[in-house]
Amino acid sequence: MGRRQLWDPAEVLTSAMRLFRHRGYLGASLRDIEEATGLHPGSLYRAFDSKEGLFQAALDAYNDQVVQGRVQVHLLEPADPVAGIRSFFTSAFETGLDPDPGCLLTNTAVESFTVPQAAAGVRRGLEAIESGFADALTRARALGRLSADLDVEMAATQLLALYQGLLVLVRSGTPATKLHTITDGAMASIGPERKRDSDE
Amino acid sequence: MGRRQLWDPAEVLTSAMRLFRHRGYLGASLRDIEEATGLHPGSLYRAFDSKEGLFQAALDAYNDQVVQGRVQVHLLEPADPVAGIRSFFTSAFETGLDPDPGCLLTNTAVESFTVPQAAAGVRRGLEAIESGFADALTRARALGRLSADLDVEMAATQLLALYQGLLVLVRSGTPATKLHTITDGAMASIGPERKRDSDE
DNA sequence: TATTTTTGTGAGCAGTCGTTCAACTACTGG
DNA sequence: CCAGTAGTTGAACGACTGCTCACAAAAATA
């Protein structure tokens, strides 16, 4: 009944995601949004109620697609969980984008002060990453790839913080060599290969 | 000759710093700035040329006062550099402020995409922190407080990233217990006390 | 086909943005 | 005490903000 919706919600959310990631919430005007998504204000407000509604939807989509996708591919699925953790880090800055917009989660975590309702979405995403790390670490432990005295939960929190820090540096234009150094450090902090003498 | 300036530049920059730290650059309107600093637009534009000029000045002041001050007190001065590194971390989130506005450097690093001229100031601040870490680590090494196989430059970069990540989590409302866990992890990653068997 | 229902369109609203500037105030040198 | 100079004030500007709504278009129902 009635006219059919002419636009694909997934496409619109993807465009909005990209725009918010580059410009932030406050930096993206409704005219920018209109241009990026192709949606006129009327349709936009019919579907999302407000600019903030669209932002929430875009953040949710980012969590469900990008974050969960990356967690799945790099942390949950790989047979080699240690290599997976490494690629989770490196793929965050080897995007081929210049300037690199960083991560919508990280950017929103910082900006969400101004947009309080986004805080819940940010928390959800951060927890997904952290528990992804925990899963990969648990599997690495089972394979004997972890330092024996390493606490998995604590290490997962550590990796989350380091990952978020990496993304701050990404967004501020830090060269890739330095980001690789950070990745190497992250790997060294969990693996047992930092000592040449076996002590277990 | 002529009328004297009625306001103290240092006070104005401190107020502006606090405002930008809470609201971000885009989130702080000139009316907000007027209220926070007590300066009317005319005086403001006479002194700083533009909103961006004021922001740059505030960021520079933050670097020169807050960042350098913290680096000095926690990383360069303490006789115990390891304890200094720890307190550098914990003092970043034990501010008594609720909600905690985080760090202007971190926040700007993320938002500076929108305000490209701020990028240089951000880099300056991040480098100050990193070299502060390097200094403390070098002194810790001389005192035999470091793992023997630890590369100081790499560890300093690592601590910088972890510190920035911590501040993202601070800004997103992560509870202090978790932030302490991250701090503990940071300390564990540099000290030799993680193994009970001596292996040097 | 006529009617009803849903969606798209975009001009336009009230309000806010960063910024300007003419009038005014306070101080100095002659 | 007057001219010149530097600083302060706040009303006002055009541009832009998020948002609304009367209207047109397209589909479903009768």
Side-chain angles (χ1 to χ4, degrees):
Chain A
M1 39 168 103
R3 187 173 177 171
R4 286 165 209 173
Q5 191 166 284
L6 295 178
W7 47 279
D8 175 8
E11 276 180 26
V12 164
L13 285 179
T14 302
S15 312
M17 235 164 60
R18 188 167 51 229
L19 180 68
F20 284 131
R21 210 166 144 196
H22 276 88
R23 291 238 225 282
Y25 175 73
L26 293 172
S29 80
L30 271 167
R31 271 74 180 180
D32 293 334
I33 295 172
E34 189 176 350
E35 191 183 7
T37 61
L39 241 62
H40 294 89
S43 301
L44 221 148
Y45 275 78
R46 155 178 295 283
F48 299 103
D49 284 344
S50 64
K51 180 186 173 184
E52 210 178 300
L54 172 66
F55 183 70
Q56 302 262 27
L59 184 57
D60 285 345
Y62 187 81
N63 271 336
D64 295 341
Q65 291 161 35
V66 180
V67 176
Q68 278 300 344
R70 286 172 47 69
V71 167
Q72 194 74 28
V73 168
H74 294 99
L75 299 180
L76 304 185
E77 278 172 0
D80 182 343
V82 175
I85 292 174
R86 172 178 283 278
S87 69
F88 187 80
F89 272 80
T90 56
S91 64
F93 57 86
E94 287 174 336
T95 56
L97 301 174
D98 186 59
D100 195 312
C103 165
L104 183 59
L105 260 187
T106 311
N107 300 353
T108 305
V110 168
E111 206 187 1
S112 69
F113 229 67
T114 329
V115 192
Q117 281 89 335
V122 169
R123 239 185 303 274
R124 244 188 69 213
L126 295 180
E127 277 162 17
I129 296 173
E130 188 176 6
S131 69
F133 279 135
D135 185 273
L137 287 170
T138 303
R139 287 167 43 242
R141 147 107 352 127
L143 296 171
R145 304 282 301 280
L146 247 52
S147 299
D149 59 344
L150 197 82
D151 179 87
V152 165
E153 286 304 323
M154 185 165 161
T157 303
Q158 209 70 10
L159 287 177
L160 173 68
L162 201 58
Y163 180 68
Q164 290 303 313
L166 184 95
L167 286 164
V168 170
L169 300 185
V170 164
R171 176 98 172 165
S172 71
T174 302
T177 53
K178 192 156 228 165
L179 303 176
H180 269 113
T181 302
I182 293 169
T183 305
D184 291 341
M187 301 317 295
S189 75
I190 60 165
E193 54 263 22
R194 47 207 301 282
K195 300 252 167 254
R196 56 247 161 270
D197 300 332
S198 77
D199 41 20
E200 312 308 320
Chain B
M1 39 170 102
R3 187 172 181 173
R4 286 143 202 201
Q5 192 165 286
L6 296 178
W7 47 278
D8 176 9
E11 276 180 26
V12 164
L13 285 179
T14 302
S15 312
M17 234 164 61
R18 187 168 51 231
L19 180 66
F20 284 130
R21 209 166 145 195
H22 276 88
R23 291 238 227 282
Y25 175 73
L26 292 172
S29 79
L30 270 165
R31 272 75 179 179
D32 293 334
I33 294 172
E34 189 175 352
E35 191 183 8
T37 62
L39 241 61
H40 293 87
S43 302
L44 221 148
Y45 275 78
R46 154 177 294 281
F48 300 104
D49 285 343
S50 64
K51 180 186 175 184
E52 208 179 301
L54 172 65
F55 182 71
Q56 301 263 26
L59 184 57
D60 285 345
Y62 187 81
N63 271 335
D64 295 342
Q65 291 161 35
V66 180
V67 176
Q68 278 300 342
R70 286 172 48 70
V71 166
Q72 194 75 30
V73 169
H74 294 100
L75 299 180
L76 304 185
E77 280 172 0
D80 181 345
V82 175
I85 292 173
R86 172 178 282 280
S87 69
F88 187 81
F89 271 80
T90 55
S91 65
F93 57 87
E94 286 176 335
T95 57
L97 300 173
D98 187 59
D100 195 311
C103 166
L104 183 57
L105 261 188
T106 311
N107 301 353
T108 305
V110 169
E111 205 188 359
S112 70
F113 229 69
T114 327
V115 192
Q117 282 89 335
V122 169
R123 240 186 303 273
R124 244 189 68 213
L126 295 180
E127 277 162 17
I129 295 173
E130 188 176 6
S131 70
F133 278 136
D135 184 273
L137 287 171
T138 304
R139 287 166 45 239
R141 146 107 352 126
L143 295 171
R145 303 282 302 279
L146 245 53
S147 298
D149 60 344
L150 198 81
D151 178 86
V152 166
E153 287 305 322
M154 184 164 162
T157 303
Q158 209 71 7
L159 287 176
L160 172 67
L162 200 58
Y163 181 67
Q164 291 303 312
L166 184 95
L167 286 163
V168 170
L169 300 185
V170 163
R171 177 98 171 166
S172 71
T174 302
T177 52
K178 193 157 229 167
L179 304 176
H180 269 114
T181 302
I182 293 169
T183 306
D184 291 342
M187 302 317 295
S189 74
I190 60 166
E193 55 263 21
R194 47 206 302 280
K195 298 252 165 256
R196 56 249 161 270
D197 300 334
S198 77
D199 40 18
E200 313 305 322

